[in-house]
Amino acid sequence: MTQSRRGGGRKARIEIRTAPRALVNPAPPGQAGGQYRPLSEADMRAIYATALRLLAELGMGEAPDWLVERAVTAGATTSDAGRLCLPETMVEDIVAGARKIIVFHGRDPAHDFELGGERVHFGTGGAAVQTLDLESGTYRPSTLRDLYDFARLADRLENVSWFTRCCVATDLEDITDLDINTAYALLRGTTKPMGTSFTLAETVDPIVDMFDLALGGEGRFRERPFCKAHISPVISPLRFGEDALEVTQTCIRRGVPLNCIIAAQSGATAPATPAGFLAQSLAETLAALVVVNLLAPGYPMIFSNWPLVIDLRSGAFSGGGGESAVMNAASAQIINWLGLPSGVAASMSDAKAVDAQMGAEKALTALATGLAGANMVYESAGMMAALLGVSFEAFVLDDEMLSQVNRVIRGIEVTDETLGFEAVSDAVFGEGHFLGSAQTMAAMERDYFYPRLADREPPVTWAERGAKDVWQKARERARAILAEPDPGYLDPAADRAIRARHRILLNV
Amino acid sequence: MTQSRRGGGRKARIEIRTAPRALVNPAPPGQAGGQYRPLSEADMRAIYATALRLLAELGMGEAPDWLVERAVTAGATTSDAGRLCLPETMVEDIVAGARKIIVFHGRDPAHDFELGGERVHFGTGGAAVQTLDLESGTYRPSTLRDLYDFARLADRLENVSWFTRCCVATDLEDITDLDINTAYALLRGTTKPMGTSFTLAETVDPIVDMFDLALGGEGRFRERPFCKAHISPVISPLRFGEDALEVTQTCIRRGVPLNCIIAAQSGATAPATPAGFLAQSLAETLAALVVVNLLAPGYPMIFSNWPLVIDLRSGAFSGGGGESAVMNAASAQIINWLGLPSGVAASMSDAKAVDAQMGAEKALTALATGLAGANMVYESAGMMAALLGVSFEAFVLDDEMLSQVNRVIRGIEVTDETLGFEAVSDAVFGEGHFLGSAQTMAAMERDYFYPRLADREPPVTWAERGAKDVWQKARERARAILAEPDPGYLDPAADRAIRARHRILLNV
């Protein structure tokens, strides 16, 4: 193909090079997915039917008395084995009545976005216990400072639509300290929508009080609920987790939006056959939906069904393979088909180094889930080592990779204008090329993404500039962002008030 | 999500670890794509209609007299501007009568595969002039020895279904030497289906004679045409290339299957608007199809419409972005919709280093085109630096990445058996997990891919083993394969006969 690459000539190249550099983002977050449909309509019906049957016939184990009482009033029954069986019509009615569209608020309204339909947003998740150190290039225990730094990084990266704590501050031993300071680090680092976990129901009230203070007064969080709770109210296979149910109740009382996550593992806590896995994990997420809607009909809940894969050889979780990609994509497709706000996990990698494995695994899983139309793709920035680790460099690289993914999702607009019969005619009967024309310049600035980290220079230029790999370039960019001062998102008076009431261990 | 990851317990993990290691490839080449549809039916109709209109109204420039004569006999006209105009019905009739299914032969019949429908195969292409040196990690001019080494590598990598010469032997100055020795290096290195370019029509006969000798006698190649010609008979926008038309005629006379490639460049030789680009390049590939079918109705031709993207900032080609992914996927979708054997280009990268950029760009473009159902995805192993370079390490890493892509394309089988209601019931009322069950073991060995290069160890193990990135691991694997002796694919008597007739410059 060398011939055609020589076309155009030197003059034409210079002409195009002197054009103004495009700065428009051609594909911001919120592109409409759904062009990739791993499952047929019949497949989805069969999986849904099996999920309903699992809930009706096997039911859910370990439902606490208060839940059994409410559920039975709504039509459920208890089996001889003591399990809570949810009839099909009851579950279908709850699906029909559940919240379909959720506005996910940022502390800054400029970061608000709407969840639902087939709009796609990427953001973080995770509970990594190790951080890939920016200086040493090796893993060490994650700290509270890391969490604050990751929050600041997320705040600056366009494709990270929200920030859920991506690592655990392992330097904090006390569970209350951990929950409080996790929320505080996020408050300091970003005004994007955020998410956190509540280890105990008791930490919900003080944290929401802190959020109220950050917004300027009591009750303000309920008006702008900018932080959602990540909760796993079901333990696979098919039983409830009592602690998480308590957190759920408390969050609903305080107006904290819910992200109910089922993260079953193939061949361990769910079937190894992908179809069976999806049926069981769908049943479990539906069980969570039933609980939430029994407590508060129409309450905002993200329906997060994240299929996790384990590697037969080690029994350990693996997030970067083709199975993860197709199963999470299928999960998003089914959730969207049910009309519920969908959450899945992708852009994960099993790699430890910021290398070609990382790039391939993240792009593969991000593209599959994005094209499937997942509303919220969790774990999609920075996560390494099968979620055991997190990396600053991966964070900034993922952001750029997600721009490319969003560009794919945006697709191709076909109109008389874009088909451009006249433009071709002009080129054929004119100069014989399209370089530098008004149509070309407009399209190049509107339709194409221009990366800042990815190297597009010829080999000789790359060598002259030090033969850097993109890990090095990402390190430089991450360092530059982290060297910036605290963004000042927390009002000093609010900060003093928070520190007066809570043991805040982050000093920046 | 740490809680659920701790589930299962130590005993269960050991149980699964002692299981036999899966060796079955869960998704060999030839998976059925088409689950990703970037264009709507209306989009495709509009693009096709514009392509037909371009051929009918603007026509093709620089048609040689013999072609005008044949075309006019078949219904074409010449315009006042001296262009060859192809009426819609003529083009549509030729599409209808064109070859839909092609068997692509290997020299070894075990490597034969069928092209058509939505079956997906990945293989090589390209004309890189620089090789990323395995020892120095820098680029140097590509040689004939490199080509032989790449052929041997391709021969050993399962997902590389065919081998088209990926680099130019820049150590050969004479064009005839180049063509002859390129074909010879491929003959020595692999018995998979192969592909090459003929710089001049005069080299077709001697090379096909060489192929006959390799197969054991005159006329044998015609019976098992294991090498296709890569030809670009159209120069964008919308004119014929006379030299390539001559090569086309000669190849048809000698029974060499054709891969007619349009590789227009956005904003340079084709419109920058993706829809307009696709309309023009589709018209051009249709023009090639017309020529081939006028010469020999139903002759095997791969309909290769490879949208190439240029970066506005430099005017240089870029192969790794989201635009490349979506435009090549759309191209495959349209070709498949027309029922023709589709060829596109993907798994390209602009990266120079074997790094995260490379991984992401290759996976993004490979997955998009694979899921779109491209029959032949060219450039999909080893290509670097926007096709200027090629790398041994990238070659072996791409092969493994393509296994993951093929796993995604395979999708999810939904049957009563795979839905496994009984298996869930057994787990719920039995041990509470799925570890080690017969269903689990069978699925894990049948449905999951286990990489050999990608690292799935925990961070501590990775560090203990030298904190290697996957570039290092790929280098070791490439070296090991290349250290093997010549595969002996060329019979010594045939080799002597070939060397007696041709100036063979490869000495291995």
Side-chain angles (χ1 to χ4, degrees):
Chain A
M1 302 319 311
T2 42
Q3 300 94 318
S4 60
R5 303 186 60 197
R6 292 194 195 109
R10 182 161 175 75
K11 180 175 157 289
R13 286 214 193 87
I14 289 168
E15 198 176 334
I16 208 166
R17 199 176 297 140
T18 55
R21 179 168 153 182
L23 293 170
V24 179
N25 181 350
Q31 298 297 317
Q35 303 88 337
Y36 166 41
R37 302 189 173 277
L39 300 171
S40 70
E41 182 87 14
D43 289 342
M44 289 192 288
R45 283 188 199 289
I47 290 169
Y48 185 43
T50 303
L52 292 175
R53 191 178 158 212
L54 288 168
L55 290 174
E57 297 184 22
L58 303 187
M60 296 290 296
E62 298 178 32
D65 291 344
W66 63 263
L67 178 56
V68 171
E69 196 174 312
R70 276 180 190 258
V72 168
T73 306
T77 58
T78 50
S79 72
D80 294 345
R83 299 175 64 87
L84 183 63
C85 295
L86 309 172
E88 295 194 9
T89 50
M90 175 186 170
V91 176
E92 291 190 300
D93 287 349
I94 279 174
V95 168
R99 179 80 74 98
K100 301 300 188 301
I101 303 283
I102 299 173
V103 174
F104 193 11
H105 295 281
R107 190 147 43 113
D108 178 346
H111 293 305
D112 290 2
F113 64 93
E114 202 177 75
L115 281 173
E118 297 196 300
R119 285 181 293 279
V120 179
H121 288 269
F122 294 92
T124 67
V129 291
Q130 297 198 61
T131 297
L132 182 59
D133 192 88
L134 250 182
E135 307 307 319
S136 71
T138 56
Y139 287 87
R140 55 162 179 76
S142 302
T143 65
L144 184 59
R145 171 75 203 204
D146 289 335
L147 192 56
Y148 165 71
D149 285 343
F150 282 117
R152 292 194 297 141
L153 207 51
D155 195 67
R156 291 288 307 278
L157 301 176
E158 186 168 6
N159 294 305
V160 181
S161 291
W162 74 92
F163 184 71
T164 295
R165 67 100 174 73
C166 57
C167 63
V168 175
T170 63
D171 48 343
L172 305 187
E173 283 181 15
D174 179 78
I175 285 178
T176 306
D177 281 348
L178 177 64
D179 282 6
I180 300 273
N181 282 276
T182 296
Y184 179 82
L186 270 55
L187 273 183
R188 284 294 292 264
T190 185
T191 54
K192 288 187 176 181
M194 53 193 237
T196 192
S197 292
F198 299 96
T199 314
L200 301 169
E202 291 76 54
T203 60
V204 175
D205 280 323
I207 287 175
V208 175
D209 292 344
M210 190 199 309
F211 292 160
D212 275 345
L213 285 174
L215 287 173
E218 201 184 320
R220 295 281 176 86
F221 177 78
R222 195 180 290 275
E223 295 162 13
R224 176 159 285 281
F226 61 82
C227 182
K228 63 185 158 42
H230 285 230
I231 302 178
S232 297
V234 172
I235 297 166
S236 303
L238 295 170
R239 61 191 174 94
F240 288 110
E242 191 160 2
D243 288 352
L245 288 178
E246 275 179 35
V247 175
T248 305
Q249 288 177 290
T250 315
C251 285
I252 290 176
R253 182 169 52 72
R254 292 303 302 265
V256 183
L258 301 174
N259 177 35
C260 289
I261 304 169
I262 303 304
Q265 296 186 311
S266 65
T269 62
T273 53
F277 184 109
L278 288 168
Q280 181 192 303
S281 63
L282 177 60
E284 292 167 337
T285 329
L286 287 167
L289 189 78
V290 166
V291 171
V292 169
N293 281 273
L294 286 177
L295 289 167
Y299 194 84
M301 170 187 139
I302 296 144
F303 196 95
S304 277
N305 179 6
W306 304 359
L308 300 187
V309 164
I310 63 171
D311 187 309
L312 171 71
R313 297 170 299 184
S314 63
F317 166 62
S318 155
E323 302 84 8
S324 290
V326 71
M327 287 166 71
N328 277 282
S331 176
Q333 187 192 2
I334 296 173
I335 304 168
N336 288 1
W337 175 72
L338 291 173
L340 300 167
S342 51
V344 299
S347 190
M348 299 180 287
S349 176
D350 304 326
K352 266 58 65 184
V354 177
D355 63 3
Q357 176 189 347
M358 183 203 94
E361 293 181 341
K362 284 170 169 282
L364 186 86
T365 53
L367 184 63
T369 50
L371 280 176
N375 298 150
M376 298 187 85
V377 183
Y378 287 88
E379 313 287 0
S380 65
M383 301 313 288
M384 304 292 292
L387 300 184
L388 289 175
V390 61
S391 153
F392 298 100
E393 302 96 305
F395 227 96
V396 298
L397 284 172
D398 289 348
D399 179 60
E400 186 163 287
M401 178 274 289
L402 293 172
S403 283
Q404 302 287 16
V405 167
N406 279 328
R407 180 62 194 86
V408 179
I409 300 172
R410 171 178 148 184
I412 292 171
E413 298 79 20
V414 181
T415 64
D416 281 348
E417 169 67 23
T418 59
L419 285 165
F421 181 90
E422 297 307 326
V424 178
S425 181
D426 289 350
V428 164
F429 294 113
E431 296 189 51
H433 65 75
F434 296 80
L435 291 160
S437 77
Q439 196 222 28
T440 293
M441 298 313 290
M444 286 262 165
E445 294 186 6
R446 181 189 61 223
D447 298 339
Y448 292 77
F449 173 72
Y450 300 98
R452 65 187 291 169
L453 294 169
D455 191 324
R456 289 185 167 181
E457 298 297 332
V460 62
T461 313
W462 169 76
E464 282 166 8
R465 294 184 182 167
K468 288 181 187 174
D469 72 7
V470 84
W471 188 352
Q472 288 176 264
K473 292 172 77 174
R475 191 178 291 129
E476 291 160 18
R477 175 136 165 76
R479 276 188 190 136
I481 295 175
L482 296 180
E484 293 172 9
D486 180 88
Y489 289 147
L490 196 55
D491 174 71
D495 194 28
R496 280 192 299 276
I498 289 170
R499 287 178 184 268
R501 292 174 62 165
H502 301 288
R503 189 153 62 138
I504 297 302
L505 299 163
L506 181 70
N507 292 306
V508 290
Chain B
M1 301 322 309
T2 41
Q3 301 92 317
S4 61
R5 303 184 62 196
R6 292 198 194 106
R10 182 160 175 75
K11 180 177 158 287
R13 285 212 193 88
I14 289 168
E15 196 176 334
I16 206 166
R17 198 177 296 142
T18 55
R21 180 168 153 181
L23 294 168
V24 179
N25 181 350
Q31 298 297 317
Q35 303 87 338
Y36 166 41
R37 302 191 172 275
L39 301 170
S40 69
E41 183 87 14
D43 290 342
M44 289 192 287
R45 285 189 198 287
I47 290 168
Y48 185 44
T50 304
L52 292 175
R53 191 177 158 213
L54 288 169
L55 291 174
E57 296 184 23
L58 304 187
M60 295 290 296
E62 299 179 30
D65 292 343
W66 63 262
L67 178 56
V68 171
E69 197 174 312
R70 277 179 190 259
V72 167
T73 306
T77 59
T78 50
S79 72
D80 294 345
R83 298 174 63 86
L84 183 63
C85 296
L86 309 172
E88 294 192 11
T89 51
M90 175 186 171
V91 176
E92 291 190 301
D93 286 349
I94 279 173
V95 168
R99 179 80 74 99
K100 301 300 188 300
I101 301 283
I102 299 172
V103 174
F104 193 11
H105 295 281
R107 189 146 46 111
D108 178 347
H111 294 305
D112 290 1
F113 63 95
E114 202 177 75
L115 282 173
E118 298 196 299
R119 284 182 293 278
V120 179
H121 288 269
F122 294 92
T124 67
V129 291
Q130 297 198 61
T131 296
L132 181 60
D133 193 89
L134 249 182
E135 305 308 320
S136 72
T138 57
Y139 287 87
R140 55 162 178 76
S142 301
T143 66
L144 183 60
R145 171 74 202 206
D146 288 335
L147 193 56
Y148 165 71
D149 285 343
F150 282 116
R152 291 193 298 141
L153 208 48
D155 195 67
R156 290 288 306 278
L157 301 176
E158 187 168 7
N159 294 305
V160 181
S161 291
W162 74 91
F163 184 72
T164 295
R165 66 100 173 76
C166 57
C167 63
V168 176
T170 64
D171 49 343
L172 305 186
E173 283 179 16
D174 180 79
I175 285 178
T176 306
D177 280 348
L178 177 64
D179 282 6
I180 300 274
N181 283 277
T182 294
Y184 179 81
L186 269 55
L187 273 182
R188 284 294 293 265
T190 184
T191 54
K192 288 188 177 181
M194 54 192 236
T196 192
S197 292
F198 299 96
T199 315
L200 300 169
E202 291 76 51
T203 59
V204 175
D205 279 325
I207 288 175
V208 176
D209 291 344
M210 190 200 304
F211 292 160
D212 276 345
L213 285 173
L215 287 174
E218 200 182 320
R220 293 282 175 89
F221 176 78
R222 196 180 289 277
E223 296 163 13
R224 175 159 286 281
F226 61 83
C227 182
K228 64 187 156 45
H230 284 229
I231 303 178
S232 297
V234 172
I235 297 167
S236 302
L238 295 169
R239 62 192 173 92
F240 288 110
E242 191 160 2
D243 287 353
L245 288 177
E246 276 180 34
V247 175
T248 304
Q249 289 177 289
T250 315
C251 283
I252 290 175
R253 181 169 52 71
R254 291 302 302 266
V256 183
L258 301 175
N259 176 35
C260 288
I261 303 169
I262 304 302
Q265 295 185 312
S266 66
T269 61
T273 53
F277 184 110
L278 289 168
Q280 180 192 303
S281 64
L282 177 61
E284 292 168 338
T285 329
L286 288 167
L289 188 77
V290 167
V291 170
V292 169
N293 281 273
L294 286 176
L295 289 166
Y299 195 83
M301 169 186 140
I302 296 143
F303 196 95
S304 277
N305 179 6
W306 304 359
L308 300 187
V309 165
I310 63 170
D311 187 307
L312 171 72
R313 296 170 298 184
S314 63
F317 166 62
S318 155
E323 302 85 7
S324 289
V326 71
M327 288 166 71
N328 277 283
S331 176
Q333 187 192 3
I334 296 173
I335 303 167
N336 288 2
W337 176 72
L338 291 172
L340 299 166
S342 52
V344 298
S347 190
M348 299 182 287
S349 176
D350 304 326
K352 266 59 66 184
V354 178
D355 63 2
Q357 176 189 347
M358 183 203 94
E361 292 181 342
K362 284 170 169 282
L364 186 85
T365 53
L367 183 64
T369 50
L371 280 176
N375 298 149
M376 298 186 84
V377 183
Y378 288 89
E379 314 285 2
S380 66
M383 301 313 288
M384 304 291 291
L387 302 184
L388 290 175
V390 61
S391 154
F392 299 101
E393 301 96 307
F395 227 96
V396 298
L397 284 172
D398 289 349
D399 179 60
E400 186 164 286
M401 178 273 290
L402 293 172
S403 283
Q404 302 287 16
V405 167
N406 279 328
R407 179 61 193 87
V408 179
I409 301 173
R410 172 179 147 185
I412 293 171
E413 298 79 20
V414 180
T415 64
D416 282 346
E417 169 67 23
T418 60
L419 284 166
F421 181 90
E422 297 307 325
V424 178
S425 181
D426 289 349
V428 164
F429 295 112
E431 297 188 51
H433 64 74
F434 296 80
L435 292 160
S437 78
Q439 196 221 28
T440 294
M441 299 313 290
M444 286 260 162
E445 295 186 5
R446 179 189 63 222
D447 299 338
Y448 292 76
F449 173 71
Y450 300 97
R452 65 189 291 170
L453 294 169
D455 192 323
R456 290 186 167 181
E457 297 297 333
V460 61
T461 312
W462 170 75
E464 282 165 8
R465 292 184 183 167
K468 288 181 186 175
D469 73 7
V470 83
W471 188 352
Q472 287 176 266
K473 292 172 77 174
R475 190 178 292 129
E476 290 160 17
R477 172 133 167 79
R479 274 188 190 136
I481 295 175
L482 296 179
E484 293 172 9
D486 180 89
Y489 289 146
L490 196 57
D491 173 74
D495 192 29
R496 280 193 299 276
I498 289 170
R499 288 178 182 267
R501 292 173 63 165
H502 301 287
R503 188 153 62 137
I504 298 302
L505 298 162
L506 180 72
N507 293 304
V508 290

